[in-house]
Amino acid sequence: MTSDSETLTGDIAASCLPVFTLDRELRYTAFNRAHAADMKALYGVEIALGGRLADYQTVAVDRETAQSNLMRALAGDRVVASAYSGEPGGERYIDVVHVPLTDASGEVIGVEVRAFDATDRQAIETALWESEGRYRDLFDSAVEGIAETSMEGNCLRANEAVAKMLGYGSAAEAAAEIVDSAHQVWADPDERSRFAELIRSQGTVLGYECRFVRKDGERIWVSLKSRSVPGLDGEATYYKSFVEDITERKRVEDALRKSEAHYRRIFETAAEGICVMGSDHRMTLVNRRMADMLGYEPADIVGKKVESFMFEEDLPAHQEPMTERQAGLDGTYEHRFRRSDGSILLTNVSATVLTDGPGDFAGSFAMFTDITERKRAEDLLRRSEVMRNVAEHVARTGSWRWDLDPTGFSWSEELFELFDVDPDEFDGDVISALAVRIHADDVDSFMRARAAGLETGEAPAVEFRVVHRDGSEHVLY
C-alpha cells in the first residue's frame, strides 16, 4: 500500500480529519491516516490505493449516500453533507465537502473529499435556534401587538394580539390576508408612506399615532413604536412595530376636549363673575364678567390676591370664610369690593374648595353675583317702610297687602293696632282674624268690596266697623 505521505501534501497528511481523493471509477488515488483509521474503525477494513470505496463500505445505507454525493460531484457540483459522531463525551458534527477535480482542459477527472469539524458552528446554530424559539414564544404570546412589515408594506409576521386587534381570527390568517398594509390596514395610505419614510430616515419612530382599519371596516386609533431592521448591506429590509390600541384613550380625550370647550364657553359667557384661586388666594383664572364687575381687564386681575380688591376694614371679616375654605368647607358669603373707579361692588360669593391629589387644600373656585342694586333697593325699601310706619302712626292709618293666596297676607304695624290684633298671636289666618274683628253686620259688604277688587282690579271704597276686645266699636275707611 502506498504511504499517504507519498500521495498527499504534508498539511493534509497531518490533518486529524479524513481527506481522500477518488478517480471517476471511485477508486482511491490518495488518502490520509485519519481516513484510513476511520474506515478501519467503521468497517474493519484496511484500505489501499486503487481500491473501490464501495467495496470497503459494508453498510448499504452508507454506501448509497456516499454514491449519491460522489456522483453529483463528478457531475461538477460542489456537495456538502453533514455527519454526526456520537461517541460518549465526545460528540462531534462533521461537514463532508465533495469537490470536483479537473484536468487542464476543465474536465472532471475525480473527486476530493474533505471532512471539517463543524461542532462549534453547530453549537452556535443550536443556540441561535433555541434563542429564536424563545423569541417566537415571546412574540406569539405577547399581550402587546407586534408586527413585522416589509418596507413595501407587506405583512411578514403578526402575533395573536395584533391579529385580534385588527379583527382577524389568528396571526396566521392576518399574515396570509394582509398583503398590502398601506391599503388594508392604514386608514390613510399616504400617511403610511410618510411613516415608512420616517423609518428609513430615522431608523426608530416612537409614539406615532395613526388610524388603522380592522377587517370589518371599523377604524381604530393605534400608537406605534417601530424600528427598522437592516440587511447585510445596511439598508432597511423590514420594520418591527409594537402596536397599542388607543381608541378608548382617544375617545376619552375627545370627550374631555369637548367638555373643556363647553366649560370654557360657560365660563366666558356666564352672567356671574367666576375666578379660580390658588392656595395663596391669588387669582389664577378669571372670566370676562368678573373683570367687568371690578372694572378691569382679566390680565390686570390674574396673579393678584382677591383681598387686594377689598376694603381694608372688611379684611378681618373676610378672614373667617378664608379659614373655613382652608379647612375644606364650602360656603356662601357677602363681600364688598372696590371697583377701579372707586365705587363699591357688593357681591354674594359662593366658594367651593379645590384639593390636590392627596386631598390637601389647593385653592377655591368662586362665583360672584353682583348684588349692589339689590342691596340698594332693599335699603330703599327698608327706609320706605320705616317712613310709612311713622306716617301711618301719625295719621292713624294702616295698610295691608292681600295676595290671591289667602295666606299671602301682610299687615303694617299700625294695622294691628287698628284691628286690635296681637302681632305675637296672629297666625296668618286672615279670614279668621277679620271674622272676629269686623262687625257682623259689615262682614258681607267688606267681602263684596274685596271680591269686586279681585274681579276688576280696583277695589271700591268701603267703610266698616271693627269691634275691639274691650267691646268698643271703631269705624274704618
Side-chain angles (χ1 to χ4, degrees), residues 320-430:
E320 181 179 348
M322 186 169 61
T323 303
E324 289 178 351
R325 287 198 291 274
Q326 289 175 331
L329 300 176
D330 298 340
T332 302
Y333 320 96
E334 289 189 2
H335 284 314
R336 189 171 61 144
F337 294 93
R338 190 192 304 276
R339 292 192 175 97
S340 60
D341 60 5
S343 60
I344 297 175
L345 169 67
L346 298 174
T347 65
N348 180 276
V349 184
S350 179
T352 301
V353 173
L354 301 177
T355 58
D356 56 16
D360 297 328
F361 176 73
S364 57
F365 175 91
M367 298 185 68
F368 295 77
T369 303
D370 186 347
I371 60 172
T372 307
E373 292 302 320
R374 192 194 80 190
K375 283 290 186 180
R376 182 178 292 112
E378 289 176 353
D379 184 59
L380 291 175
L381 179 60
R382 191 164 42 251
R383 294 181 184 181
S384 173
E385 288 178 345
V386 171
M387 293 301 295
R388 186 198 66 188
N389 290 337
V390 171
E392 288 182 350
H393 181 73
V394 172
R396 296 291 295 164
T397 61
S399 62
W400 71 59
R401 186 189 75 250
W402 195 348
D403 298 332
L404 296 181
D405 177 3
T407 62
F409 191 84
S410 63
W411 286 358
S412 66
E413 293 181 6
E414 189 65 22
L415 206 59
F416 282 103
E417 183 176 343
L418 294 177
F419 276 87
D420 193 22
V421 174
D422 187 344
D424 296 332
E425 297 179 357
F426 182 58
D427 60 2
D429 188 347
V430 177

Side-chain angles (χ1 to χ4, degrees), residues 139 146-159 162-163 166 168 170-182 184-185 192 238-239:
F139 183 94
I146 308 175
E148 294 176 352
T149 310
S150 71
M151 301 308 293
E152 293 72 30
N154 297 329
C155 178
L156 304 176
R157 192 177 178 194
N159 70 347
V162 79
L166 294 175
Y168 292 90
S170 66
E173 180 187 349
E177 294 191 17
I178 300 175
V179 296
D180 183 2
S181 65
Q184 290 178 268
V185 176
R192 192 267 160 194
Y238 70 95
Y239 61 87

Side-chain angles (χ1 to χ4, degrees), residues 37-55:
D38 273 359
M39 294 298 285
K40 178 69 173 176
L42 290 171
Y43 306 110
V45 296
E46 297 285 349
I47 62 174
L49 293 175
R52 290 172 58 85
L53 175 63
D55 294 339

Side-chain angles (χ1 to χ4, degrees), residues 18-21 69-70 73 77-83 94-101 111-118 121:
V19 180
F20 60 92
T21 61
N69 292 332
L70 290 169
D77 294 336
R78 186 176 185 274
V79 181
V80 179
S82 296
I94 306 297
D95 280 347
V96 182
V97 181
H98 305 70
V99 180
L101 298 176
V111 180
E112 179 183 274
V113 181
R114 292 173 178 261
F116 296 91
D117 190 340
R121 176 180 61 78

Side-chain angles (χ1 to χ4, degrees), residues 192-355:
R192 192 267 160 194
S193 299
R194 292 191 294 271
F195 174 78
E197 185 58 36
L198 282 176
I199 284 289
R200 287 190 181 93
S201 61
Q202 300 180 10
T204 300
V205 177
L206 302 178
Y208 191 93
E209 295 184 359
C210 57
R211 300 193 77 177
F212 277 4
V213 180
R214 286 168 48 90
K215 183 179 180 180
D216 60 8
E218 178 188 355
R219 296 192 174 197
I220 61 173
W221 278 99
V222 298
S223 175
L224 303 179
K225 292 182 289 186
S226 306
R227 67 177 181 84
S228 64
V229 180
L232 295 176
D233 58 359
E235 294 295 323
T237 56
Y238 70 95
Y239 61 87
K240 182 179 298 183
S241 300
F242 290 88
V243 188
E244 179 187 2
D245 186 343
I246 59 170
T247 305
E248 182 60 21
R249 192 195 80 193
K250 280 288 189 180
R251 186 193 66 78
V252 172
E253 288 177 352
D254 184 60
L256 181 60
R257 186 163 48 249
K258 291 179 179 177
S259 175
E260 288 178 345
H262 180 64
Y263 164 75
R264 172 63 64 177
R265 286 195 297 271
I266 294 175
F267 182 85
E268 292 298 341
T269 60
E272 292 81 14
I274 304 175
C275 80
V276 177
M277 292 172 280
S279 57
D280 59 356
H281 299 280
R282 294 185 184 276
M283 292 182 280
T284 59
L285 189 64
V286 298
N287 70 343
R288 166 56 62 180
R289 175 57 179 159
M290 183 68 189
D292 290 344
M293 286 167 61
L294 292 172
Y296 294 93
E297 288 296 319
D300 298 329
I301 302 175
V302 172
K304 295 183 180 179
K305 288 189 174 183
V306 68
E307 293 91 335
S308 62
F309 297 94
M310 299 177 67
F311 286 83
E312 188 174 340
E313 57 268 27
D314 292 348
L315 293 179
H318 174 65
Q319 186 62 40
E320 181 179 348
M322 186 169 61
T323 303
E324 289 178 351
R325 287 198 291 274
Q326 289 175 331
L329 300 176
D330 298 340
T332 302
Y333 320 96
E334 289 189 2
H335 284 314
R336 189 171 61 144
F337 294 93
R338 190 192 304 276
R339 292 192 175 97
S340 60
D341 60 5
S343 60
I344 297 175
L345 169 67
L346 298 174
T347 65
N348 180 276
V349 184
S350 179
T352 301
V353 173
L354 301 177
T355 58

